[in-house]
Amino acid sequence: MKRIRLRVAYDGTNYSGWQIQPNAPTIEKKLDEAIYALTGENVHVTGASRTDAGVHALENVAVFDTASSIPADKFTYALNRYLPEDIIIQQSDEVESDFHPRHCDTRKTYCYSILNTEFGLPKKRNYTWNVPGNIDISKMQEAAEYLVGEHDFKSFCCVRTQTETTVRKIYSLDVDRKGDEILITVTGNGFLYNMVRIIAGTLIQVGKGKFNPEYVKEMLDAKDRTQAGQTAPPQGLTLMKIEYL
């Protein structure tokens, strides 16, 4: 047996997230089906980031064990033949048998995209959150600085989050404007359930003047989800990359 690592890109529009669910299309299910079609093995991939319904990825990571004689680097080409056009393997390689994509030190980078126009654009509806009106990105960046570093992000995760600790470290959090789009790019050692979407929703509310930038520190200190801003919708979020340290 050997353990194969896949770097996977996907458009999450037509899927109910990464993780297998009964009677719903998911990224994990499509990968399992492709591996079965290729090798005849009933295996289950293990993903590094279990993205929500509608969330996209340029590079998620998954592993599976196989007895197949196919060379590790050839799984990229072989599996893509069995995958739909909105899921593509970017790279495949062999890793140690004890490698687990979620039990390693990593740096994950996400980008959240806001379309700042009066009316939405149909071709961007699945990849941006349309927010009209004036948005002050300098205030958004000022607020973002309070979130950089190691903090307890209990205020910035779904109340249903089940984890041993809500402490996470954010290495960088940048707000940039490119034409009509505002991009929120965040890199951290890990993220809680809905954490990036809550950060994005909160920063937009700062940019719209609902919250003062310094109030974000009080949100952190409160450790109470009701004190932070709204949860931004899923379609604006993309997992950009995962770096293993």
Side-chain angles (χ1 to χ4, degrees), residues 6-87:
L6 307 174
R7 297 187 184 273
V8 191
Y10 49 87
D11 179 333
T13 302
N14 296 321
Y15 299 95
S16 298
W18 173 275
Q19 198 165 9
I20 284 182
Q21 301 177 36
N23 305 315
T26 67
I27 308 297
E28 188 176 57
K29 184 177 181 180
K30 290 295 184 182
L31 290 171
D32 288 353
E33 290 174 348
I35 294 167
Y36 178 77
L38 176 65
T39 68
E41 297 171 308
N42 280 305
V43 302
H44 297 291
V45 300
T46 299
S49 183
R50 291 171 286 193
T51 51
D52 294 338
V55 174
H56 317 291
L58 293 184
E59 185 188 293
N60 202 345
V61 173
V63 300
F64 68 95
D65 294 328
T66 178
S68 171
S69 62
I70 298 172
D73 63 332
K74 300 302 182 185
F75 274 97
T76 304
Y77 305 95
L79 285 175
N80 280 336
R81 293 165 46 208
Y82 297 97
L83 287 167
E85 62 184 2
D86 51 7
I87 305 174

Side-chain angles (χ1 to χ4, degrees), residues 80-236:
N80 280 336
R81 293 165 46 208
Y82 297 97
L83 287 167
E85 62 184 2
D86 51 7
I87 305 174
I88 298 292
I89 308 299
Q90 299 293 308
Q91 183 185 20
S92 60
D93 60 0
E94 185 173 357
V95 291
E96 296 295 328
S97 60
D98 61 350
F99 174 83
H100 192 291
R102 291 198 300 275
H103 299 163
C104 300
D105 291 333
T106 61
R107 291 168 63 100
K108 295 181 180 179
T109 299
Y110 283 87
C111 182
Y112 195 93
S113 301
I114 297 106
L115 181 63
N116 184 210
T117 57
E118 190 63 25
F119 303 103
L121 293 173
K123 76 172 187 176
K124 292 190 176 183
R125 72 189 187 282
N126 294 325
Y127 311 105
T128 60
W129 175 25
N130 180 225
V131 182
N134 295 326
I135 300 175
D136 189 333
I137 66 167
S138 63
K139 286 187 177 179
M140 291 175 66
Q141 185 63 59
E142 183 182 346
E145 296 303 323
Y146 290 102
L147 299 174
V148 175
E150 188 171 85
H151 305 285
D152 187 334
F153 284 95
K154 189 172 184 179
S155 295
F156 290 85
C157 67
C158 175
V159 293
R160 301 191 305 275
T161 298
Q162 296 179 341
T163 182
E164 292 182 3
T165 176
T166 49
V167 173
R168 296 291 186 274
K169 185 174 185 178
I170 289 182
Y171 300 110
S172 63
L173 179 51
D174 299 308
V175 183
D176 301 293
R177 179 182 285 278
K178 293 188 177 180
D180 290 330
E181 288 192 34
I182 296 169
L183 304 177
I184 300 170
T185 305
V186 55
T187 298
N189 65 352
F191 295 93
L192 302 162
Y193 185 47
N194 281 353
M195 179 174 161
V196 179
R197 290 168 56 192
I198 295 169
I199 288 173
T202 300
L203 292 182
I204 279 293
Q205 288 179 289
V206 170
K208 297 287 283 184
K210 181 172 181 180
F211 302 127
N212 291 324
E214 58 270 19
Y215 184 56
V216 171
K217 184 179 185 306
E218 295 182 36
M219 294 178 186
L220 274 174
D221 293 340
K223 300 180 181 61
D224 179 353
R225 172 66 189 96
T226 65
Q227 297 303 302
Q230 70 189 101
T231 303
Q235 73 273 9

